[in-house]
């Protein structure tokens, strides 16, 4: 059956869907050489429109996940992209049509995300609604795709990208905002952190009813330690955390999630209440039963969507990341029913910032560290939870009320000096989140390469640019080309094969 691609903001420009699976062996290198000391894969996932839903609407987070993988070894690059074959995907493939309806799916405007409850029938009963389209990360020798809400994590083979199935530790997790519809139908964050030496994964699930957060510490053998935060202050969108040697540091920020907003107020599932305080939760890493310390700050309303990393020096805790003036999502304060969606950086801007917490007094302050707009922060992930020095971001320029992303930025977080390389100027393109890959398995922190995906969507081609961290201002040392438009993907990670 054929159908036109809907003309709406979620599916135009850089968000045009890459609806086909591709294999490109021995990718063309248009500039330089692939470093022969690199051996591993760079994996990304994102929402990809495949066919109309039963309601004809297209909530971004209800679209099927598509994983991209660039495998590098001995100076060669191989690219693959594959659908994440979730239970939802397989049901719709079986019938050749959209099978799901959502409580937020009838509006056809900015309020539709695909995070409402599914209107269950004889076909969708017992089928998780998750699309696993937000992030993919390495764990226990597999790549694991997560959508944060709607369904359990899905494991994929790092070479073939074949979907291996729901992770075997999913029954030990906890629900998100949706009631489980099958055994193991639980949720897991899209932004876990991990310990490079032990392989232990630090994750959580969040919801709109108490307990608002459940912490999950997952071991490589599948053992899971869990803790429900019954004393959490409110139902925040717990999207990301910082990891220190002692704590999982979770910010409770006044971006809220509540399904009653959909059913009782006909609003989107997400809300913004700047009257609520920012609260920092220090959750012990190594003793799940130890008390959680909550620090209520007087930091003015702002929002950190993605964290960089954290340092602890004496009684001072510093939490770094791009700070938004408001969450980059549409809310009823500035959108009316019927308005098309406005996405992410078009409606808000962020710049590198720091929250400093005095652990003795509980005093907190916020400071802006750069005037340059930036987001999509990354670090050398071997040093999660150990303190850090080097931060990597996609930089940009102010554009109306938001920002246009166009560069790679490397920041020395001790001196705050930085390097920048502008990847694009006015060409229609999307500079996507990069990843750090160490030069050698045991290289010092920050010694290696940054791999940046670029979608030259107007030219219908994709590209991976590789930079040497010694000096990114010299430009990419290598460009790897894809002979088609690269689909939009928000997040991903490096898996080292060495």
């Amino acid at each position: 059956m054929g159908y036109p691609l809907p003309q709406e903001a979620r599916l135009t420009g850089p968000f045009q869907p890459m609806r086909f699976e591709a294999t490109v062996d021995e990718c063309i290198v248009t500039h330089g050489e692939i470093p022969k000391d690199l051996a591993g894969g760079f994996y990304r996932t994102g929402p990809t429109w495949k066919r109309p839903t039963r309601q004809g609407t297209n909530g971004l987070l209800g679209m099927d996940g598509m994983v991209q993988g660039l495998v590098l070894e001995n100076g060669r690059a191989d690219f693959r992209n594959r659908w994440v074959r979730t239970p939802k995907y397989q049901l719709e493939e079986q019938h050749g049509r959209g099978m799901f309806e959502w409580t937020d799916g009838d509006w056809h405007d900015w309020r539709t995300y695909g995070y409402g409850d599914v209107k269950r029938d004889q076909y969708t009963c017992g089928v998780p609604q998750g699309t696993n389209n937000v992030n993919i990360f390495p764990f226990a020798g597999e790549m694991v795709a997560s959508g944060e809400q709607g369904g359990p994590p899905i494991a994929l083979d790092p070479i073939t990208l074949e979907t291996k199935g729901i992770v075997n530790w999913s029954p030990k997790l906890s629900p998100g905002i949706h009631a489980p519809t099958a055994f193991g139908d639980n949720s897991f964050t899209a932004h876990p952190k991990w310990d490079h030496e032990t392989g232990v994964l630090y994750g959580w699930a969040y919801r709109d009813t108490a307990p608002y957060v459940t912490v999950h510490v997952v071991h490589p053998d599948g053992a899971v330690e869990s803790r429900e935060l019954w004393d959490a202050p409110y139902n925040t969108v717990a999207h990301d955390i910082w990891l220190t040697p002692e704590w999982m540091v979770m910010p409770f920020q006044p971006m809220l999630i509540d399904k009653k907003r959909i059913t009782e107020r006909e609003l989107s599932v997400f809300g913004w209440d700047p009257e609520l305080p920012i609260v920092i939760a220090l959750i012990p890493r190594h003793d799940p039963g130890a008390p959680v310390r909550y620090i209520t700050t007087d930091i003015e309303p702002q929002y950190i969507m993605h964290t960089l990393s954290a340092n602890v020096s004496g009684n001072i805790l510093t939490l770094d990341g791009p700070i938004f003036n408001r969450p980059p999502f549409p809310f009823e304060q500035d959108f009316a029913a019927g308005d098309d969606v406005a996405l992410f950086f078009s409606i808000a801007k962020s710049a590198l910032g720091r929250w400093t917490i005095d652990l003795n007094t509980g005093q907190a302050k916020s400071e802006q560290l750069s005037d340059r707009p930036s987001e999509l922060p990354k670090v050398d992930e071997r040093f999660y939870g150990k303190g850090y020095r080097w931060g990597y971001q996609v930089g940009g320029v102010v554009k109306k009320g938001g920002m246009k992303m166009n560069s790679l930025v490397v920041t020395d977080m001790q001196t705050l000096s930085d390097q920048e390389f502008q990847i694009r100027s006015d060409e229609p393109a999307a500079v996507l989140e990069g990843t750090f890959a160490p030069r050698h398995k045991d290289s010092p922190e920050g010694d290696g390469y940054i791999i940046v995906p670029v979608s030259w969507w107007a030219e219908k081609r994709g590209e991976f640019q590789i930079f040497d961290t010694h000096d990114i201002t010299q430009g990419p040392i290598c460009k790897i080309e894809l002979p088609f438009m690269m689909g939009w993907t928000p997040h991903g990670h490096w898996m080292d094969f060495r």
Side-chain angles (χ1 to χ4, degrees), residues 24-44:
V24 183
D25 292 328
E26 294 188 84
C27 296
I28 296 295
V29 176
T30 60
H31 169 79
E33 295 182 346
I34 300 170
K36 289 185 169 56
D37 50 10
L38 267 180
F42 180 21
Y43 305 89
R44 302 178 54 74

Side-chain angles (χ1 to χ4, degrees), residues 361-437:
T361 65
Q363 291 297 306
K365 70 174 181 178
S366 173
E367 56 186 321
Q368 184 174 320
L369 303 180
S370 172
D371 293 329
R372 179 194 298 110
S374 68
E375 230 285 325
L376 302 170
K378 301 291 281 190
V379 295
D380 183 342
E381 292 161 356
R382 298 172 302 159
F383 290 81
Y384 273 155
K386 297 177 176 62
Y388 84 120
R389 178 171 182 173
W390 299 102
Y392 314 101
Q393 310 135 74
V394 176
V397 294
V398 174
K399 183 179 180 181
K400 298 181 180 179
M403 53 189 180
K404 180 178 74 172
M405 315 312 287
N406 64 4
S407 67
L408 173 64
V409 179
V410 177
T411 304
D412 181 333
M413 299 304 296
Q414 292 182 4
T415 66
L416 298 183
S417 62
D418 61 25
Q419 306 172 35
E420 181 180 23
F421 181 82
Q422 185 172 320
I423 293 173
R424 75 179 185 101
S425 52
D426 294 326
E427 308 95 327
V431 181
L432 303 172
E433 179 190 76
T435 194
F436 174 86

Side-chain angles (χ1 to χ4, degrees), residues 251-268:
F252 284 78
Q253 303 174 93
M255 182 176 172
L256 312 177
I257 189 167
D258 190 347
K259 291 186 301 177
K260 290 182 180 178
R261 288 172 50 85
I262 299 172
T263 56
E264 297 180 4
R265 300 175 60 190
E266 296 191 346
L267 296 173
S268 85

Side-chain angles (χ1 to χ4, degrees), residues 275-292:
E275 298 301 315
L276 290 171
I278 294 172
V279 180
I280 305 297
L282 304 182
I283 306 165
R285 273 181 63 178
H286 307 294
D287 183 358
V292 176

Side-chain angles (χ1 to χ4, degrees), residues 345-363:
F345 305 153
S346 66
I347 55 175
K349 56 183 179 292
S350 59
L352 183 60
R354 172 172 290 165
W355 290 345
T356 301
I357 313 294
D358 186 317
L359 297 172
N360 287 342
T361 65
Q363 291 297 306

Side-chain angles (χ1 to χ4, degrees), residues 308-335:
L308 198 53
S309 197
N311 284 311
V312 181
S313 179
N315 67 316
I316 300 299
L317 168 65
T318 55
L319 306 172
D320 298 337
I323 299 178
F324 280 93
N325 55 320
R326 49 154 287 172
F329 295 86
F331 300 116
E332 63 270 21
Q333 288 94 325
D334 37 26
F335 286 80

